[in-house]
Amino acid sequence: MDVSVRAARPVTRVTGGKALTKGLPAAAGVLAGAAISLTGLAFDAQWHSDVGPDTFFTLPHLVLYSGTAISGLISLFVVLATTFAARGGQIADPAVGGRPVGVLGRRFTAPLGYLTTGLGAAAFLLYGLWDLWWHSLYGFDAVLESPPHIGLLLSISVSMMGALMVCAAAGRRRWAVIGQFVGGALLVAFNAVITLGLAPLNGLVNAVSVGVAFLASLVLLTVASSTGRAGAVLSTSVVMTVLQLALWFFAPWAARVYAGSIGLPMRDNLYGAPTLPGLMPMGIVVTGLAVEGLLLLARRHAWPASRAAAGAGGLGAVLVVLLIPVQEAVTGGAATPGAAQLAVTGAVAAVVGGLGGALGHRLGLLLANISRGSEVTR
């Protein structure tokens, strides 16, 4: 598809309470869909851990699918409404989902955030059909790392990124800022399970911990940059901790109740932390406090924003990888890694986290301007 950039046209914005009413319900809907997807993933991961194999049509899968379906249907509704409004000569408010772009030869007009969410949901549908075919070939599926599952998880991640874009497009309205805190926390929490794909690289460096640390630095500094609010990192960390606490109790309970309802036994000798909540860093609030302190120092001394973000990302990543072994020892009785592994993992995390912080700062600036600038048509 050809991509051309044109000068921005004058935009008739909907202001005041009407804009709030127009933007908030749909944004809340896609965030709710993302939260349901996270709940379904925690349920499904715990099912694999505590019970084992499953088929396509299980309750954890249905919860997971319904979350993305909600986000996708809401995005489709917004895209169609924007398209019909554009055909009627109205210019969409870019604060509702971002700058509208032309899709499929400009047959459709889609706000960028809802377009991203919708594309993630559409990809999820395709991978869902692949997962159905996979189960029809192999029957029970005993692991999370099957090819269609990886595609499903990545598709949901794209959809969640779209939800974050939708909130960022609304500017610095209170609900939009809170939505970015929630959207960032959902992204870090959901993608924690994807970092398990780095497990084969574990050795002197704990690659899974480094992956979690990079993700946390990237997303936390993105939200800090896009909102422009002091305390954004800490607020997102608090939301993530609340999510972790809720899933910590919900996931094992849901797996146990559902297994009993369909007559399947639980595995013997179950112990340790719940699967997905156990992958989320429990010390994220401590990390958030430290990062906020460094960012405050940077503002007082007028450090360049990109360097401050890189330093904050590196500091946050180091704290995450150092606190994860403590978390695993307390919750699961894991052995404490040796000093050499901690030192090397911390050094790698500092570099990777610094890159994540710098990239997050740039991404945050892009999100902050998603409803401004030139109109892009495809």
Side-chain angles (χ1 to χ4, degrees), residues 294-323:
L294 181 58
L295 292 177
L296 176 61
L297 183 66
R299 287 191 293 270
R300 287 183 175 178
H301 292 277
W303 296 353
S306 58
R307 293 184 182 178
L315 173 63
V318 170
L319 288 174
V320 168
V321 299
L322 293 181
L323 289 173

Side-chain angles (χ1 to χ4, degrees), residues 1-349:
M1 293 183 290
D2 294 332
V3 179
S4 59
V5 179
R6 303 184 301 168
R9 296 181 295 174
V11 175
T12 303
R13 295 178 183 271
V14 183
T15 58
K18 189 174 181 182
L20 197 66
T21 303
K22 185 178 179 183
L24 175 57
V30 294
L31 279 177
I36 293 171
S37 295
L38 174 65
T39 304
L41 178 64
F43 189 2
D44 191 43
Q46 200 64 39
W47 180 264
H48 281 279
S49 175
D50 292 357
V51 181
D54 64 3
T55 59
F56 182 82
F57 294 104
T58 62
L59 184 59
H61 283 179
L62 294 179
V63 175
L64 183 65
Y65 301 154
S66 65
T68 306
I70 290 171
S71 297
L73 289 173
I74 290 174
S75 298
L76 177 62
F77 174 81
V78 173
V79 169
L80 292 178
T82 305
T83 299
F84 292 141
R87 291 179 179 178
Q90 302 179 34
I91 300 176
D93 184 355
V96 181
R99 176 67 58 178
V101 299
V103 182
L104 296 178
R106 301 170 67 179
R107 291 181 177 85
F108 296 93
T109 303
L112 187 57
Y114 288 106
L115 176 62
T116 303
T117 301
L119 289 175
F124 178 88
L125 175 62
L126 296 176
Y127 281 113
L129 294 175
W130 184 15
D131 193 38
L132 178 60
W133 173 79
W134 186 272
H135 281 284
S136 70
L137 283 181
Y138 302 109
F140 289 115
D141 193 351
V143 297
L144 283 169
E145 299 87 355
S146 67
H149 283 180
I150 297 299
L152 288 168
L153 295 177
L154 292 176
S155 298
I156 296 175
S157 296
V158 172
S159 185
M160 287 183 170
M161 292 175 193
L164 185 60
M165 294 167 67
V166 167
C167 293
R172 297 188 178 180
R173 296 175 175 89
R174 179 176 296 179
W175 68 261
V177 172
I178 294 174
Q180 290 180 74
F181 297 159
V182 174
L186 289 170
L187 260 177
V188 177
F190 187 89
N191 284 283
V193 74
I194 297 180
T195 61
L196 289 176
L198 299 173
L201 302 178
N202 282 346
L204 184 58
V205 175
N206 189 318
V208 173
S209 294
V210 171
V212 172
F214 169 77
L215 182 67
S217 295
L218 173 66
V219 175
L220 291 176
L221 270 301
T222 296
V223 174
S225 178
S226 64
T227 60
R229 296 285 187 95
V233 171
L234 181 59
S235 298
T236 306
S237 301
V238 169
V239 173
M240 184 175 166
T241 300
V242 172
L243 291 173
Q244 184 181 37
L245 184 62
L247 294 175
W248 195 283
F249 292 100
F250 169 78
W253 171 83
R256 184 174 62 255
V257 170
Y258 181 50
S261 69
I262 60 177
L264 286 180
M266 303 288 285
R267 286 177 171 169
D268 295 331
N269 301 319
L270 294 177
Y271 63 92
T275 305
L276 177 56
L279 291 172
M280 299 161 60
M282 294 179 67
I284 195 68
V285 171
V286 175
T287 300
L289 284 169
V291 169
E292 289 289 359
L294 181 58
L295 292 177
L296 176 61
L297 183 66
R299 287 191 293 270
R300 287 183 175 178
H301 292 277
W303 296 353
S306 58
R307 293 184 182 178
L315 173 63
V318 170
L319 288 174
V320 168
V321 299
L322 293 181
L323 289 173
I324 284 178
V326 178
Q327 169 182 336
E328 292 176 343
V330 171
T331 61
T336 304
Q341 186 183 44
L342 283 176
V344 176
T345 300
V348 173

